[in-house]
Amino acid sequence: MACSNNESWCQGLDCLASRSAAWYEQGARFAKWRTVVSIPNGPFELAVKEAAWGLARYAAISQDNGLVPIVEPEILPDGDHGIHMTFEVAKKVWAEVFFYLAQNNVMFEGILFKPSMVTPGAECKDKATPEQVASYTLSLLAPRIPPAVPGIMFLSGGQSEVEVTLNLNAMNQAPNPWHVSFSYARALQNTCLKTWGGRPENVKAAQDTLLVRAKANSLAQLGKYTDEGESEEAKQGMFVKGYVYKALLNQIHRRRQ
């Protein structure tokens, strides 16, 4: 973003309506738009507003063309800040997102919200327990997210497979007005990809590994998960400073070679 401290903004609204209509005709029923906010880079007020406005316009265009928008404002885990700093930034970002969703006449009943959990920065020395993450995250969800929103689908944000599942489980120890669940990439795929390694003979083992992770999080969204019997691999953190999805694609490509 020009005139900012290396902050990001998303392109793609131009012609999104016609593209969304075409995707609907091809069978799509959901769409996802991810935008990021960096705590070490600011975040400048302009970057927060740009992120929120882009998500809101995308959501309105998606609904207008029959798609359910998954709204994903990610607070990047980069930095050594404590959990309270993440809380304060997320509070501002989420408020802006839902303000602009309302301004754009987005039907809350027809979206899914995909935020990051409220955690300390990945390089913070003071780690948070699952109970602390759940407390901070739920106390932020309660005043910011309308109960009309049917589902909160958390991203994993570089946490280990076990860590993020424990955090989700802690959030579901009591009833919530929304369905509090998961929409992970790395926290479902990491051990699975390593098990597979691009080799045909490992496909069955990799599939079994993926089923273990899916089952663990299925239990966590019911508040019934325990980490008993989890592998050391699943407990390894996956934070990569400055992570972009391209890095994951390159990793898969290298393993196929």
Side-chain angles (χ1 to χ4, degrees):
M1 178 181 289
C3 303
S4 75
N5 186 27
N6 295 319
E7 292 184 281
S8 300
W9 68 288
C10 289
Q11 301 179 72
L13 290 174
D14 291 348
C15 302
L16 182 60
S18 60
R19 287 183 284 132
S20 296
W23 296 329
Y24 183 91
E25 289 301 317
Q26 293 172 24
R29 293 297 180 266
F30 290 83
K32 183 171 82 74
W33 183 293
R34 170 183 178 261
T35 193
V36 300
V37 172
S38 169
I39 293 178
N41 286 2
F44 285 177
E45 184 176 348
L46 179 61
V48 173
K49 287 185 178 295
E50 176 64 33
W53 177 257
L55 285 167
R57 290 300 307 137
Y58 136 79
I61 292 168
S62 295
Q63 287 188 345
D64 197 44
N65 288 279
L67 300 176
V68 175
I70 300 171
V71 178
E72 182 179 0
E74 180 176 2
I75 312 299
L76 293 174
D78 303 61
D80 59 2
H81 51 276
I83 192 171
H84 189 70
M85 174 63 79
T86 306
F87 177 87
E88 291 299 322
V89 171
K91 179 167 66 174
K92 185 174 184 178
V93 172
W94 294 3
E96 290 284 294
V97 168
F98 277 89
F99 173 78
Y100 285 119
L101 287 171
Q103 289 268 302
N104 282 274
N105 297 313
V106 172
M107 182 177 67
F108 293 152
E109 295 91 334
I111 72 169
L112 292 172
F113 188 51
K114 183 177 176 178
S116 40
M117 297 177 181
V118 179
T119 62
E123 298 165 293
C124 180
K125 295 179 180 178
D126 297 324
K127 303 303 179 183
T129 65
E131 291 72 27
Q132 289 172 318
V133 170
S135 176
Y136 271 90
T137 305
L138 292 175
S139 66
L140 183 54
L141 283 170
R144 288 290 182 274
I145 313 305
V149 175
I152 313 296
M153 324 305 282
F154 283 104
L155 58 90
S156 52
Q159 300 179 73
S160 78
E161 293 169 332
V162 171
E163 181 182 15
V164 74
T165 310
L166 285 169
N167 290 342
L168 177 64
N169 188 73
M171 288 184 215
N172 283 293
Q173 293 301 298
N176 294 300
W178 329 269
H179 180 61
V180 177
S181 190
F182 62 99
S183 178
Y184 307 148
R186 283 177 286 171
L188 288 177
Q189 300 168 354
N190 188 57
T191 302
C192 174
L193 286 173
K194 289 182 177 179
T195 302
W196 170 49
R199 297 181 177 86
E201 63 270 22
N202 294 338
V203 167
K204 178 62 166 61
Q207 290 175 333
D208 291 344
T209 300
L210 179 61
L211 286 173
V212 167
R213 292 265 50 83
K215 178 65 174 179
N217 284 283
S218 178
L219 291 170
Q221 49 111 30
L222 298 173
K224 298 179 179 180
Y225 166 77
T226 69
D227 61 349
E228 183 179 352
E230 288 281 15
S231 69
E232 289 303 312
E233 181 70 45
K235 297 177 182 178
Q236 298 301 310
M238 291 177 284
F239 169 70
V240 178
K241 194 169 186 177
Y243 176 83
V244 293
Y245 281 109
K246 184 178 178 182
L248 177 60
L249 295 175
N250 287 339
Q251 182 183 31
I252 295 171
H253 180 68
R254 286 195 301 271
R255 283 178 179 161
R256 283 178 173 169
Q257 291 178 322

Short mmCIF file of all heavy atoms in Angstrom, two decimals, residues 30-95:
data_model
loop_
_atom_site.label_atom_id
_atom_site.label_comp_id
_atom_site.label_asym_id
_atom_site.label_seq_id
_atom_site.Cartn_x
_atom_site.Cartn_y
_atom_site.Cartn_z
N PHE A 30 -19.72 -21.23 -2.62
CA PHE A 30 -19.00 -20.47 -1.60
C PHE A 30 -17.85 -19.72 -2.27
O PHE A 30 -17.34 -20.13 -3.31
CB PHE A 30 -18.42 -21.40 -0.52
CG PHE A 30 -19.44 -22.02 0.37
CD1 PHE A 30 -20.12 -23.16 -0.02
CD2 PHE A 30 -19.73 -21.46 1.61
CE1 PHE A 30 -21.08 -23.75 0.80
CE2 PHE A 30 -20.69 -22.04 2.43
CZ PHE A 30 -21.36 -23.18 2.03
N ALA A 31 -17.44 -18.61 -1.65
CA ALA A 31 -16.25 -17.88 -2.09
C ALA A 31 -15.46 -17.48 -0.84
O ALA A 31 -16.01 -17.45 0.27
CB ALA A 31 -16.65 -16.63 -2.88
N LYS A 32 -14.17 -17.20 -1.01
CA LYS A 32 -13.37 -16.75 0.13
C LYS A 32 -12.43 -15.63 -0.30
O LYS A 32 -11.80 -15.70 -1.35
CB LYS A 32 -12.55 -17.91 0.70
CG LYS A 32 -11.73 -17.51 1.95
CD LYS A 32 -11.10 -18.73 2.62
CE LYS A 32 -9.82 -19.15 1.94
NZ LYS A 32 -8.69 -18.22 2.25
N TRP A 33 -12.39 -14.60 0.52
CA TRP A 33 -11.47 -13.47 0.31
C TRP A 33 -10.67 -13.31 1.59
O TRP A 33 -11.22 -13.08 2.65
CB TRP A 33 -12.27 -12.21 0.02
CG TRP A 33 -11.48 -10.96 -0.29
CD1 TRP A 33 -10.67 -10.27 0.58
CD2 TRP A 33 -11.44 -10.23 -1.53
NE1 TRP A 33 -10.14 -9.15 -0.04
CE2 TRP A 33 -10.60 -9.10 -1.34
CE3 TRP A 33 -12.05 -10.41 -2.77
CZ2 TRP A 33 -10.36 -8.17 -2.34
CZ3 TRP A 33 -11.81 -9.48 -3.76
CH2 TRP A 33 -10.97 -8.37 -3.55
N ARG A 34 -9.35 -13.43 1.48
CA ARG A 34 -8.46 -13.28 2.63
C ARG A 34 -7.70 -11.97 2.50
O ARG A 34 -7.14 -11.67 1.46
CB ARG A 34 -7.46 -14.44 2.68
CG ARG A 34 -6.32 -14.27 3.70
CD ARG A 34 -5.36 -15.46 3.58
NE ARG A 34 -4.22 -15.34 4.48
CZ ARG A 34 -3.02 -14.91 4.13
NH1 ARG A 34 -2.79 -14.51 2.88
NH2 ARG A 34 -2.04 -14.87 5.00
N THR A 35 -7.72 -11.19 3.57
CA THR A 35 -6.88 -10.00 3.62
C THR A 35 -6.16 -10.00 4.95
O THR A 35 -6.62 -10.60 5.92
CB THR A 35 -7.72 -8.72 3.43
OG1 THR A 35 -6.86 -7.60 3.19
CG2 THR A 35 -8.58 -8.44 4.64
N VAL A 36 -4.98 -9.38 5.00
CA VAL A 36 -4.14 -9.49 6.19
C VAL A 36 -3.84 -8.12 6.78
O VAL A 36 -3.79 -7.11 6.08
CB VAL A 36 -2.81 -10.22 5.89
CG1 VAL A 36 -3.09 -11.63 5.38
CG2 VAL A 36 -1.97 -9.45 4.89
N VAL A 37 -3.63 -8.13 8.09
CA VAL A 37 -3.19 -6.95 8.83
C VAL A 37 -1.96 -7.33 9.63
O VAL A 37 -1.94 -8.38 10.29
CB VAL A 37 -4.31 -6.43 9.77
CG1 VAL A 37 -3.78 -5.32 10.66
CG2 VAL A 37 -5.51 -5.94 8.95
N SER A 38 -0.92 -6.51 9.57
CA SER A 38 0.34 -6.80 10.25
C SER A 38 0.49 -5.89 11.46
O SER A 38 0.48 -4.66 11.33
CB SER A 38 1.52 -6.58 9.28
OG SER A 38 2.74 -6.60 9.98
N ILE A 39 0.65 -6.49 12.63
CA ILE A 39 0.85 -5.69 13.84
C ILE A 39 2.21 -4.98 13.84
O ILE A 39 2.27 -3.78 14.13
CB ILE A 39 0.66 -6.55 15.11
CG1 ILE A 39 -0.82 -6.97 15.21
CG2 ILE A 39 1.10 -5.81 16.36
CD1 ILE A 39 -1.15 -7.86 16.37
N PRO A 40 3.33 -5.65 13.51
CA PRO A 40 4.62 -4.94 13.50
C PRO A 40 4.66 -3.77 12.50
O PRO A 40 5.38 -2.80 12.72
CB PRO A 40 5.62 -6.03 13.10
CG PRO A 40 4.99 -7.30 13.54
CD PRO A 40 3.52 -7.10 13.30
N ASN A 41 3.87 -3.85 11.43
CA ASN A 41 3.86 -2.79 10.42
C ASN A 41 2.94 -1.63 10.78
O ASN A 41 2.84 -0.67 10.03
CB ASN A 41 3.45 -3.34 9.06
CG ASN A 41 4.55 -4.15 8.43
OD1 ASN A 41 5.60 -4.33 9.01
ND2 ASN A 41 4.30 -4.67 7.25
N GLY A 42 2.26 -1.71 11.88
CA GLY A 42 1.35 -0.62 12.25
C GLY A 42 0.33 -1.07 13.29
O GLY A 42 0.64 -1.12 14.46
N PRO A 43 -0.83 -1.53 12.85
CA PRO A 43 -1.33 -1.29 11.50
C PRO A 43 -1.89 0.12 11.38
O PRO A 43 -2.53 0.61 12.31
CB PRO A 43 -2.45 -2.32 11.35
CG PRO A 43 -2.95 -2.51 12.76
CD PRO A 43 -1.78 -2.30 13.67
N PHE A 44 -1.61 0.80 10.27
CA PHE A 44 -2.13 2.12 10.04
C PHE A 44 -3.65 2.05 9.91
O PHE A 44 -4.20 1.07 9.41
CB PHE A 44 -1.53 2.73 8.78
CG PHE A 44 -0.10 3.18 8.95
CD1 PHE A 44 0.58 3.70 7.87
CD2 PHE A 44 0.56 3.09 10.16
CE1 PHE A 44 1.90 4.12 7.99
CE2 PHE A 44 1.86 3.50 10.30
CZ PHE A 44 2.54 4.02 9.21
N GLU A 45 -4.31 3.12 10.33
CA GLU A 45 -5.77 3.16 10.25
C GLU A 45 -6.25 2.97 8.82
O GLU A 45 -7.24 2.28 8.57
CB GLU A 45 -6.29 4.49 10.80
CG GLU A 45 -7.80 4.59 10.83
CD GLU A 45 -8.30 5.87 11.47
OE1 GLU A 45 -7.48 6.58 12.08
OE2 GLU A 45 -9.51 6.15 11.35
N LEU A 46 -5.51 3.55 7.85
CA LEU A 46 -5.91 3.41 6.45
C LEU A 46 -5.86 1.96 6.01
O LEU A 46 -6.72 1.49 5.26
CB LEU A 46 -4.99 4.26 5.57
CG LEU A 46 -5.28 4.20 4.06
CD1 LEU A 46 -6.69 4.70 3.76
CD2 LEU A 46 -4.24 5.01 3.29
N ALA A 47 -4.85 1.20 6.46
CA ALA A 47 -4.73 -0.20 6.08
C ALA A 47 -5.89 -1.02 6.65
O ALA A 47 -6.41 -1.92 5.98
CB ALA A 47 -3.40 -0.77 6.57
N VAL A 48 -6.29 -0.72 7.87
CA VAL A 48 -7.41 -1.43 8.49
C VAL A 48 -8.70 -1.15 7.73
O VAL A 48 -9.49 -2.06 7.43
CB VAL A 48 -7.55 -1.03 9.97
CG1 VAL A 48 -8.82 -1.63 10.58
CG2 VAL A 48 -6.33 -1.48 10.76
N LYS A 49 -8.93 0.13 7.41
CA LYS A 49 -10.14 0.49 6.68
C LYS A 49 -10.17 -0.13 5.29
O LYS A 49 -11.21 -0.60 4.83
CB LYS A 49 -10.26 2.02 6.58
CG LYS A 49 -10.62 2.70 7.88
CD LYS A 49 -10.84 4.18 7.70
CE LYS A 49 -11.26 4.84 9.00
NZ LYS A 49 -12.56 4.38 9.48
N GLU A 50 -9.03 -0.14 4.62
CA GLU A 50 -8.95 -0.73 3.28
C GLU A 50 -9.25 -2.23 3.34
O GLU A 50 -9.97 -2.77 2.49
CB GLU A 50 -7.57 -0.50 2.69
CG GLU A 50 -7.34 -1.13 1.33
CD GLU A 50 -8.23 -0.58 0.24
OE1 GLU A 50 -8.55 0.63 0.29
OE2 GLU A 50 -8.62 -1.35 -0.65
N ALA A 51 -8.69 -2.91 4.35
CA ALA A 51 -8.95 -4.34 4.52
C ALA A 51 -10.43 -4.60 4.76
O ALA A 51 -11.03 -5.49 4.14
CB ALA A 51 -8.12 -4.89 5.67
N ALA A 52 -11.03 -3.83 5.64
CA ALA A 52 -12.44 -4.02 5.98
C ALA A 52 -13.36 -3.70 4.80
O ALA A 52 -14.32 -4.43 4.52
CB ALA A 52 -12.81 -3.16 7.19
N TRP A 53 -13.06 -2.60 4.10
CA TRP A 53 -13.89 -2.21 2.97
C TRP A 53 -13.82 -3.25 1.85
O TRP A 53 -14.84 -3.62 1.27
CB TRP A 53 -13.46 -0.84 2.46
CG TRP A 53 -14.22 -0.41 1.23
CD1 TRP A 53 -13.81 -0.41 -0.06
CD2 TRP A 53 -15.57 0.09 1.21
NE1 TRP A 53 -14.79 0.04 -0.90
CE2 TRP A 53 -15.89 0.35 -0.16
CE3 TRP A 53 -16.54 0.32 2.19
CZ2 TRP A 53 -17.13 0.84 -0.54
CZ3 TRP A 53 -17.78 0.82 1.78
CH2 TRP A 53 -18.05 1.07 0.45
N GLY A 54 -12.63 -3.74 1.55
CA GLY A 54 -12.48 -4.74 0.50
C GLY A 54 -13.26 -6.00 0.82
O GLY A 54 -13.94 -6.57 -0.05
N LEU A 55 -13.18 -6.46 2.07
CA LEU A 55 -13.92 -7.65 2.48
C LEU A 55 -15.42 -7.43 2.35
O LEU A 55 -16.17 -8.32 1.92
CB LEU A 55 -13.57 -8.02 3.92
CG LEU A 55 -12.21 -8.68 4.14
CD1 LEU A 55 -11.86 -8.69 5.62
CD2 LEU A 55 -12.18 -10.10 3.59
N ALA A 56 -15.89 -6.24 2.73
CA ALA A 56 -17.32 -5.95 2.68
C ALA A 56 -17.83 -5.88 1.25
O ALA A 56 -18.90 -6.40 0.93
CB ALA A 56 -17.61 -4.64 3.41
N ARG A 57 -17.07 -5.24 0.36
CA ARG A 57 -17.50 -5.15 -1.04
C ARG A 57 -17.54 -6.54 -1.68
O ARG A 57 -18.46 -6.88 -2.41
CB ARG A 57 -16.56 -4.23 -1.83
CG ARG A 57 -16.66 -2.77 -1.49
CD ARG A 57 -18.05 -2.20 -1.73
NE ARG A 57 -18.52 -2.45 -3.08
CZ ARG A 57 -19.77 -2.85 -3.39
NH1 ARG A 57 -20.66 -3.06 -2.42
NH2 ARG A 57 -20.11 -3.04 -4.65
N TYR A 58 -16.51 -7.33 -1.40
CA TYR A 58 -16.48 -8.71 -1.92
C TYR A 58 -17.69 -9.49 -1.42
O TYR A 58 -18.33 -10.24 -2.19
CB TYR A 58 -15.18 -9.39 -1.49
CG TYR A 58 -15.33 -10.80 -1.00
CD1 TYR A 58 -15.49 -11.87 -1.88
CD2 TYR A 58 -15.33 -11.08 0.37
CE1 TYR A 58 -15.65 -13.17 -1.41
CE2 TYR A 58 -15.49 -12.36 0.85
CZ TYR A 58 -15.65 -13.41 -0.04
OH TYR A 58 -15.80 -14.68 0.43
N ALA A 59 -18.02 -9.36 -0.12
CA ALA A 59 -19.13 -10.11 0.46
C ALA A 59 -20.45 -9.71 -0.19
O ALA A 59 -21.28 -10.57 -0.51
CB ALA A 59 -19.19 -9.88 1.97
N ALA A 60 -20.63 -8.41 -0.41
CA ALA A 60 -21.87 -7.94 -1.03
C ALA A 60 -21.98 -8.46 -2.47
O ALA A 60 -23.06 -8.92 -2.89
CB ALA A 60 -21.91 -6.42 -1.02
N ILE A 61 -20.89 -8.39 -3.21
CA ILE A 61 -20.89 -8.87 -4.60
C ILE A 61 -21.15 -10.38 -4.65
O ILE A 61 -21.91 -10.87 -5.49
CB ILE A 61 -19.56 -8.53 -5.27
CG1 ILE A 61 -19.43 -7.01 -5.44
CG2 ILE A 61 -19.43 -9.22 -6.62
CD1 ILE A 61 -18.03 -6.54 -5.82
N SER A 62 -20.55 -11.11 -3.72
CA SER A 62 -20.75 -12.56 -3.68
C SER A 62 -22.21 -12.91 -3.44
O SER A 62 -22.80 -13.73 -4.17
CB SER A 62 -19.87 -13.19 -2.60
OG SER A 62 -18.50 -13.03 -2.89
N GLN A 63 -22.80 -12.29 -2.42
CA GLN A 63 -24.20 -12.59 -2.12
C GLN A 63 -25.12 -12.20 -3.27
O GLN A 63 -26.10 -12.90 -3.56
CB GLN A 63 -24.63 -11.87 -0.83
CG GLN A 63 -24.03 -12.49 0.42
CD GLN A 63 -24.61 -11.91 1.69
OE1 GLN A 63 -25.26 -10.86 1.69
NE2 GLN A 63 -24.36 -12.60 2.81
N ASP A 64 -24.79 -11.10 -3.94
CA ASP A 64 -25.61 -10.64 -5.05
C ASP A 64 -25.59 -11.63 -6.21
O ASP A 64 -26.49 -11.62 -7.06
CB ASP A 64 -25.10 -9.27 -5.53
CG ASP A 64 -26.11 -8.54 -6.38
OD1 ASP A 64 -27.31 -8.53 -6.02
OD2 ASP A 64 -25.73 -7.98 -7.43
N ASN A 65 -24.58 -12.50 -6.22
CA ASN A 65 -24.46 -13.48 -7.29
C ASN A 65 -24.66 -14.92 -6.79
O ASN A 65 -24.24 -15.88 -7.45
CB ASN A 65 -23.11 -13.34 -7.98
CG ASN A 65 -23.04 -12.10 -8.84
OD1 ASN A 65 -23.53 -12.08 -9.96
ND2 ASN A 65 -22.46 -11.02 -8.29
N GLY A 66 -25.29 -15.05 -5.62
CA GLY A 66 -25.70 -16.37 -5.15
C GLY A 66 -24.65 -17.14 -4.37
O GLY A 66 -24.88 -18.30 -4.02
N LEU A 67 -23.50 -16.52 -4.09
CA LEU A 67 -22.43 -17.21 -3.37
C LEU A 67 -22.43 -16.82 -1.89
O LEU A 67 -22.74 -15.69 -1.53
CB LEU A 67 -21.06 -16.85 -3.97
CG LEU A 67 -20.86 -17.21 -5.45
CD1 LEU A 67 -19.49 -16.70 -5.91
CD2 LEU A 67 -20.98 -18.71 -5.67
N VAL A 68 -22.06 -17.77 -1.05
CA VAL A 68 -21.88 -17.50 0.38
C VAL A 68 -20.44 -17.02 0.58
O VAL A 68 -19.49 -17.76 0.33
CB VAL A 68 -22.12 -18.76 1.23
CG1 VAL A 68 -21.81 -18.49 2.70
CG2 VAL A 68 -23.55 -19.25 1.07
N PRO A 69 -20.25 -15.77 1.03
CA PRO A 69 -18.89 -15.28 1.21
C PRO A 69 -18.28 -15.72 2.54
O PRO A 69 -18.90 -15.55 3.60
CB PRO A 69 -19.06 -13.75 1.18
CG PRO A 69 -20.45 -13.51 1.64
CD PRO A 69 -21.26 -14.73 1.23
N ILE A 70 -17.09 -16.29 2.47
CA ILE A 70 -16.29 -16.54 3.66
C ILE A 70 -15.41 -15.30 3.86
O ILE A 70 -14.62 -14.96 2.98
CB ILE A 70 -15.43 -17.81 3.51
CG1 ILE A 70 -16.33 -19.02 3.28
CG2 ILE A 70 -14.55 -18.02 4.74
CD1 ILE A 70 -15.57 -20.29 2.91
N VAL A 71 -15.59 -14.61 4.96
CA VAL A 71 -14.94 -13.32 5.22
C VAL A 71 -13.74 -13.56 6.12
O VAL A 71 -13.89 -13.96 7.27
CB VAL A 71 -15.94 -12.34 5.87
CG1 VAL A 71 -15.26 -11.01 6.19
CG2 VAL A 71 -17.15 -12.12 4.95
N GLU A 72 -12.53 -13.33 5.60
CA GLU A 72 -11.31 -13.71 6.32
C GLU A 72 -10.35 -12.54 6.55
O GLU A 72 -9.48 -12.27 5.72
CB GLU A 72 -10.57 -14.83 5.56
CG GLU A 72 -9.32 -15.32 6.28
CD GLU A 72 -8.61 -16.43 5.54
OE1 GLU A 72 -9.07 -16.84 4.47
OE2 GLU A 72 -7.57 -16.90 6.05
N PRO A 73 -10.48 -11.84 7.68
CA PRO A 73 -9.48 -10.86 8.05
C PRO A 73 -8.43 -11.53 8.95
O PRO A 73 -8.73 -11.89 10.09
CB PRO A 73 -10.28 -9.81 8.82
CG PRO A 73 -11.39 -10.60 9.46
CD PRO A 73 -11.63 -11.82 8.59
N GLU A 74 -7.24 -11.72 8.46
CA GLU A 74 -6.22 -12.41 9.25
C GLU A 74 -5.27 -11.41 9.91
O GLU A 74 -4.65 -10.59 9.23
CB GLU A 74 -5.40 -13.38 8.39
CG GLU A 74 -4.32 -14.10 9.21
CD GLU A 74 -3.54 -15.14 8.43
OE1 GLU A 74 -3.81 -15.30 7.23
OE2 GLU A 74 -2.67 -15.78 9.04
N ILE A 75 -5.16 -11.48 11.24
CA ILE A 75 -4.14 -10.74 11.97
C ILE A 75 -2.89 -11.60 11.93
O ILE A 75 -2.84 -12.65 12.58
CB ILE A 75 -4.56 -10.45 13.43
CG1 ILE A 75 -5.99 -9.90 13.50
CG2 ILE A 75 -3.56 -9.50 14.07
CD1 ILE A 75 -6.21 -8.61 12.79
N LEU A 76 -1.90 -11.19 11.18
CA LEU A 76 -0.71 -12.03 11.02
C LEU A 76 -0.02 -12.29 12.36
O LEU A 76 0.05 -11.38 13.21
CB LEU A 76 0.26 -11.37 10.04
CG LEU A 76 -0.21 -11.28 8.59
CD1 LEU A 76 0.79 -10.46 7.77
CD2 LEU A 76 -0.39 -12.66 7.98
N PRO A 77 0.53 -13.49 12.58
CA PRO A 77 1.16 -13.80 13.86
C PRO A 77 2.58 -13.25 14.00
O PRO A 77 3.18 -13.38 15.06
CB PRO A 77 1.18 -15.34 13.86
CG PRO A 77 1.26 -15.71 12.41
CD PRO A 77 0.46 -14.67 11.69
N ASP A 78 3.14 -12.67 12.94
CA ASP A 78 4.50 -12.13 13.00
C ASP A 78 4.63 -11.09 14.11
O ASP A 78 3.76 -10.23 14.28
CB ASP A 78 4.87 -11.47 11.66
CG ASP A 78 4.73 -12.42 10.49
OD1 ASP A 78 3.60 -12.90 10.24
OD2 ASP A 78 5.73 -12.68 9.81
N GLY A 79 5.72 -11.19 14.88
CA GLY A 79 6.00 -10.21 15.92
C GLY A 79 6.20 -10.83 17.28
O GLY A 79 5.92 -12.00 17.50
N ASP A 80 6.71 -10.02 18.21
CA ASP A 80 6.96 -10.49 19.57
C ASP A 80 6.00 -9.84 20.58
O ASP A 80 6.26 -9.82 21.77
CB ASP A 80 8.42 -10.21 19.98
CG ASP A 80 8.77 -8.72 19.92
OD1 ASP A 80 7.88 -7.89 19.61
OD2 ASP A 80 9.94 -8.38 20.19
N HIS A 81 4.89 -9.32 20.10
CA HIS A 81 3.90 -8.66 20.95
C HIS A 81 3.14 -9.69 21.78
O HIS A 81 3.05 -10.86 21.43
CB HIS A 81 2.92 -7.86 20.09
CG HIS A 81 2.33 -8.66 18.98
ND1 HIS A 81 2.96 -8.83 17.75
CD2 HIS A 81 1.16 -9.37 18.88
CE1 HIS A 81 2.23 -9.59 16.98
NE2 HIS A 81 1.14 -9.94 17.63
N GLY A 82 2.57 -9.21 22.88
CA GLY A 82 1.79 -10.08 23.75
C GLY A 82 0.37 -10.25 23.26
O GLY A 82 -0.09 -9.60 22.31
N ILE A 83 -0.36 -11.12 23.92
CA ILE A 83 -1.72 -11.45 23.51
C ILE A 83 -2.65 -10.25 23.60
O ILE A 83 -3.58 -10.09 22.81
CB ILE A 83 -2.27 -12.65 24.32
CG1 ILE A 83 -3.57 -13.19 23.68
CG2 ILE A 83 -2.49 -12.27 25.79
CD1 ILE A 83 -4.03 -14.51 24.29
N HIS A 84 -2.39 -9.35 24.56
CA HIS A 84 -3.28 -8.18 24.72
C HIS A 84 -3.17 -7.26 23.51
O HIS A 84 -4.18 -6.65 23.09
CB HIS A 84 -2.96 -7.42 26.00
CG HIS A 84 -3.97 -6.36 26.31
ND1 HIS A 84 -5.25 -6.65 26.72
CD2 HIS A 84 -3.90 -4.99 26.23
CE1 HIS A 84 -5.93 -5.53 26.90
NE2 HIS A 84 -5.12 -4.51 26.61
N MET A 85 -1.98 -7.12 22.93
CA MET A 85 -1.82 -6.31 21.73
C MET A 85 -2.62 -6.90 20.57
O MET A 85 -3.29 -6.18 19.84
CB MET A 85 -0.34 -6.20 21.34
CG MET A 85 -0.10 -5.48 20.01
SD MET A 85 -0.64 -3.76 20.01
CE MET A 85 0.74 -3.02 20.90
N THR A 86 -2.55 -8.22 20.40
CA THR A 86 -3.36 -8.87 19.36
C THR A 86 -4.83 -8.60 19.59
O THR A 86 -5.58 -8.32 18.65
CB THR A 86 -3.10 -10.38 19.34
OG1 THR A 86 -1.71 -10.64 19.22
CG2 THR A 86 -3.84 -11.05 18.18
N PHE A 87 -5.26 -8.68 20.83
CA PHE A 87 -6.65 -8.43 21.20
C PHE A 87 -7.08 -7.04 20.76
O PHE A 87 -8.15 -6.86 20.15
CB PHE A 87 -6.83 -8.60 22.71
CG PHE A 87 -8.21 -8.30 23.22
CD1 PHE A 87 -9.18 -9.29 23.24
CD2 PHE A 87 -8.54 -7.03 23.67
CE1 PHE A 87 -10.45 -9.03 23.71
CE2 PHE A 87 -9.82 -6.76 24.13
CZ PHE A 87 -10.77 -7.76 24.16
N GLU A 88 -6.26 -6.03 21.06
CA GLU A 88 -6.61 -4.65 20.74
C GLU A 88 -6.68 -4.42 19.24
O GLU A 88 -7.58 -3.72 18.74
CB GLU A 88 -5.60 -3.69 21.38
CG GLU A 88 -5.67 -3.61 22.89
CD GLU A 88 -7.03 -3.13 23.39
OE1 GLU A 88 -7.61 -2.22 22.75
OE2 GLU A 88 -7.53 -3.66 24.40
N VAL A 89 -5.75 -4.99 18.50
CA VAL A 89 -5.76 -4.83 17.05
C VAL A 89 -6.95 -5.56 16.43
O VAL A 89 -7.66 -5.03 15.57
CB VAL A 89 -4.44 -5.31 16.43
CG1 VAL A 89 -4.52 -5.34 14.90
CG2 VAL A 89 -3.29 -4.42 16.87
N ALA A 90 -7.17 -6.81 16.86
CA ALA A 90 -8.29 -7.58 16.33
C ALA A 90 -9.63 -6.90 16.64
O ALA A 90 -10.54 -6.91 15.81
CB ALA A 90 -8.27 -8.99 16.89
N LYS A 91 -9.73 -6.30 17.82
CA LYS A 91 -10.95 -5.60 18.20
C LYS A 91 -11.26 -4.49 17.19
O LYS A 91 -12.41 -4.33 16.74
CB LYS A 91 -10.80 -5.02 19.61
CG LYS A 91 -12.02 -4.25 20.09
CD LYS A 91 -11.94 -3.98 21.59
CE LYS A 91 -10.80 -3.05 21.95
NZ LYS A 91 -10.83 -2.67 23.39
N LYS A 92 -10.24 -3.76 16.81
CA LYS A 92 -10.42 -2.67 15.85
C LYS A 92 -10.74 -3.21 14.45
O LYS A 92 -11.65 -2.71 13.77
CB LYS A 92 -9.14 -1.83 15.80
CG LYS A 92 -9.23 -0.60 14.93
CD LYS A 92 -7.96 0.24 15.07
CE LYS A 92 -8.08 1.53 14.27
NZ LYS A 92 -6.87 2.38 14.42
N VAL A 93 -10.02 -4.24 14.03
CA VAL A 93 -10.22 -4.80 12.69
C VAL A 93 -11.61 -5.40 12.56
O VAL A 93 -12.34 -5.14 11.59
CB VAL A 93 -9.14 -5.84 12.37
CG1 VAL A 93 -9.46 -6.57 11.06
CG2 VAL A 93 -7.76 -5.19 12.28
N TRP A 94 -12.00 -6.22 13.52
CA TRP A 94 -13.31 -6.88 13.43
C TRP A 94 -14.44 -5.86 13.45
O TRP A 94 -15.44 -6.02 12.74
CB TRP A 94 -13.48 -7.89 14.56
CG TRP A 94 -12.54 -9.05 14.49
CD1 TRP A 94 -11.53 -9.26 13.59
CD2 TRP A 94 -12.52 -10.18 15.37
NE1 TRP A 94 -10.87 -10.43 13.86
CE2 TRP A 94 -11.45 -11.02 14.93
CE3 TRP A 94 -13.26 -10.56 16.47
CZ2 TRP A 94 -11.14 -12.22 15.58
CZ3 TRP A 94 -12.96 -11.76 17.12
CH2 TRP A 94 -11.91 -12.57 16.67
N ALA A 95 -14.29 -4.82 14.27
CA ALA A 95 -15.32 -3.77 14.33
C ALA A 95 -15.46 -3.09 12.97
O ALA A 95 -16.58 -2.85 12.49
CB ALA A 95 -14.98 -2.75 15.41
#
